[in-house]
């Protein structure tokens, strides 16, 4: 399980959580048994003011042995800031469509990879763990349905860049189990399934059904955000990130070992309530 609440969740919340509460949140999630906790972002503070304190958060956390704390890095300036703050892992974001890429980072897919090349080189020489994301892998708010081959091609480029893991993201939250099955069917044998993660949103209510299809197809890594933090940027008020608690309950019910203590995740979310002020995605 890859916890994305402190980054993907909090960057989409309308409020800014104090630095000390973010630090406590990251530490509590890592203490729950989660082995990857995406901690913050080093995009320009003007673009994501909620995470403007990324360097402070990353510097302040007490790290647990065996836990990775990836941070989102959009360019070499972000990499400089992340490395100065002691980053041990970085996440790179690409999109499956040029339309989304242009809207998100004002660059085509090709231009995005040109930006990534020097980042990946430096990250590798500094021995940082690299994680890639393929946004809008199933559907794009601008270009509509996305062919599996388009998402696969971007995933392959991220692996070629040196990513240890690539997350296939249903950014819009509209993927259905059939779409996930189609994507997995389209995977060429040279794309390593054991290094693929799925990042589902529950906007259309199918996140867990999609997890089930991906599990059956051999995927073993899933992203989720504690408390279902983040919402959906394309449908105000609708759920976005699959909640970590929901994913845990689902995996527990299937008898799958995660090593994560659900009560500890719930406690981490509860401690954040004074700022985010609601509880979403809580498993029954
Ligand atoms: Mg997300």
């Amino acid at each position: 399980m890859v916890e994305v609440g402190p980054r993907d969740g909090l960057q989409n919340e309308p409020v800014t959580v104090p630095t000390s509460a973010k630090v406590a949140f990251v530490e509590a999630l890592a203490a729950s048994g989660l082995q990857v906790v995406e901690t913050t972002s080093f995009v320009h503070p003007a673009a994501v003011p909620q995470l403007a304190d990324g360097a402070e958060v990353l510097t302040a956390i007490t790290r647990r042995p065996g836990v990775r704390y990836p941070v989102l890095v959009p360019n070499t300036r972000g990499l400089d800031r992340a490395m100065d703050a002691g980053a041990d892992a970085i996440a790179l974001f690409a999109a499956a469509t040029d339309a989304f890429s242009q809207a998100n980072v004002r660059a085509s897919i090709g231009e995005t990879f040109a930006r990534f090349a020097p980042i990946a080189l430096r990250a590798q020489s500094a021995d940082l763990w690299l994680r890639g994301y393929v946004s809008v892998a199933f559907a794009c708010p601008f270009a509509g349905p996305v062919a599996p081959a388009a998402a696969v091609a971007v995933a392959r480029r991220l692996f070629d860049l040196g990513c240890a893991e690539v997350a296939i993201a249903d950014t819009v939250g509209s993927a259905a189990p059939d779409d996930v099955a189609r994507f997995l069917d389209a995977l060429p044998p040279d794309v390593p399934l054991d290094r693929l993660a799925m990042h589902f949103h529950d906007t259309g209510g199918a996140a867990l059904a999609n997890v089930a299809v991906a599990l059956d197809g051999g995927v073993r890594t899933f992203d989720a955000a504690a408390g279902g933090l983040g919402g959906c940027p394309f449908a105000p008020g609708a759920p976005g990130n699959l909640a970590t608690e929901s994913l845990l309950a689902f995996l527990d019910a299937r008898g799958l070992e995660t090593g994560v203590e659900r009560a500890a995740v719930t406690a981490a979310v509860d401690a954040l309530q004074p700022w985010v002020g609601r509880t979403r995605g809580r498993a029954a």
Side-chain angles (χ1 to χ4, degrees), residues 8 199 201 241:
D8 191 18
H199 181 113
H201 283 197
N241 290 310

Side-chain angles (χ1 to χ4, degrees), residues 177 207-220 222 246-258 262:
L208 289 175
N210 291 339
V211 169
V213 170
L215 268 174
D216 290 344
V219 176
R220 288 295 176 271
F222 295 93
S246 303
L247 178 60
L248 270 173
F250 175 85
L251 297 173
D252 286 347
R254 288 195 155 210
L256 294 166
E257 281 290 328
T258 61
R262 213 185 330 160

